[in-house]
Amino acid sequence: NILMKEEVMPKMKEVVKKREDTYGFLAAIFREELKAEQIKEMVDRGVLNLLIDAGCNIDPDFFTNKPLGQIEEEMAVEYTALFIGPGKHIVPYESIYVPDSTGRAGYYWGECTVDMKKWVEHYGLKISEKYDSIPDHISIELEFMQKVVELERVSREKDDLETAEKCLEVERTFFNKHINKWVPEFCDKVIEAAELDFYREIARLTKDFILGEADLLNPKPAISSAE
């Protein structure tokens, strides 16, 4: 048992760190248009290469053969067209997708929005100012998960397994109640509508990550064979 703990715990800490980083990265991507310095940092720090290595079909020439200002402008135009409008766009708020207790969906400030606000207030998450009026924006929900996973990571680093397990239960409950109900559908819409490789592939990556999280947070019970 001691040997198993020595083998499993470092792997668990590594998995938790990757989950924390992924939630944080995706929250930043969906929060607002990427600025020139963010794009430059993404390229210089190798994040773009990591995305490509992870299977994202992103053309690196888009980020290397154009002036940085032009890249920023083209990505801002795409972000606005996808998520802000005017005109037909993909609304990045949960209440648009998830029906309330009466079966009604497709409107702002639904029951899930109010519930999301309670989660944020209860756990003291400081919401990004850009979305403090409607807290069920996809970036806020991803940011919430990042914060709880971060606390889980810190707890595991201190070998405080009791707190880590409590964090894991919060993650599971929140994920199932909010993110898992609508983010995959949202991603499908982005994949279909995106013109730039970057946002299409980020949406694909997000969907794959969320589906993986669903399996991780909701493990199926092992089936024991009869002896």
Side-chain angles (χ1 to χ4, degrees):
N1 289 341
I2 294 177
L3 179 61
M4 183 178 294
K5 181 178 179 181
E6 290 177 348
E7 291 177 347
V8 172
M9 289 306 293
K11 292 180 181 178
M12 177 67 76
K13 292 175 183 177
E14 182 180 338
V15 168
V16 174
K17 181 64 169 68
K18 286 182 179 178
R19 293 177 62 227
E20 175 193 348
D21 291 345
T22 303
Y23 274 116
F25 172 74
L26 295 176
I29 294 296
F30 287 114
R31 184 174 296 120
E32 58 187 345
E33 306 94 322
L34 291 178
K35 303 297 186 290
E37 57 269 22
Q38 292 174 298
I39 297 170
K40 184 176 186 302
E41 183 179 16
M42 185 172 64
V43 175
D44 291 348
R45 295 186 62 180
V47 176
L48 181 63
N49 288 334
L50 287 175
L51 291 172
I52 294 172
D53 291 342
C56 291
N57 188 23
I58 299 173
D59 183 3
D61 290 343
F62 176 83
F63 292 92
T64 56
N65 292 348
K66 296 180 180 181
L68 187 58
Q70 182 180 345
I71 299 171
E72 178 187 37
E73 181 178 353
E74 290 186 23
M75 291 187 67
V77 169
E78 173 86 327
Y79 182 94
T80 301
L82 283 172
F83 308 123
I84 300 176
K88 186 177 180 181
H89 61 283
I90 303 162
V91 181
Y93 295 96
E94 181 185 352
S95 64
I96 300 298
Y97 301 84
V98 179
D100 61 20
S101 57
T102 68
R104 180 182 172 216
Y107 65 100
Y108 295 101
W109 272 108
E111 292 173 355
C112 57
T113 316
V114 176
D115 186 69
M116 179 63 197
K117 187 171 186 290
K118 291 178 181 177
W119 278 86
V120 171
E121 291 174 348
H122 179 77
Y123 288 97
L125 172 64
K126 183 179 179 182
I127 298 179
S128 303
E129 292 181 4
K130 186 176 177 64
Y131 298 113
D132 60 0
S133 59
I134 309 181
D136 63 334
H137 189 277
I138 184 172
S139 69
I140 301 303
E141 296 197 359
L142 294 172
E143 183 181 349
F144 181 92
M145 284 293 290
Q146 178 204 7
K147 298 297 184 183
V148 183
V149 175
E150 178 185 13
L151 181 56
E152 180 193 347
R153 173 183 60 79
V154 172
S155 300
R156 291 190 185 281
E157 288 174 352
K158 296 177 180 178
D159 291 324
D160 181 0
L161 299 185
E162 182 179 351
T163 300
E165 287 301 317
K166 289 179 180 177
C167 291
L168 194 56
E169 187 56 37
V170 171
E171 294 164 30
R172 179 180 298 110
T173 304
F174 176 80
F175 179 89
N176 290 333
K177 193 168 188 180
H178 288 280
I179 290 178
N180 201 33
K181 287 185 176 180
W182 73 284
V183 172
E185 179 186 352
F186 167 83
C187 290
D188 284 340
K189 292 179 181 294
V190 177
I191 292 168
E192 183 178 347
E195 295 186 5
L196 293 182
D197 291 345
F198 181 79
Y199 282 108
R200 181 174 59 252
E201 293 302 309
I202 285 294
R204 202 185 309 277
L205 174 70
T206 303
K207 182 179 179 180
D208 289 346
F209 174 67
I210 296 306
L211 294 178
E213 283 285 280
D215 290 338
L216 178 70
L217 294 171
N218 302 290
K220 294 179 175 61
I223 301 175
S224 58
S225 58
E227 296 183 2

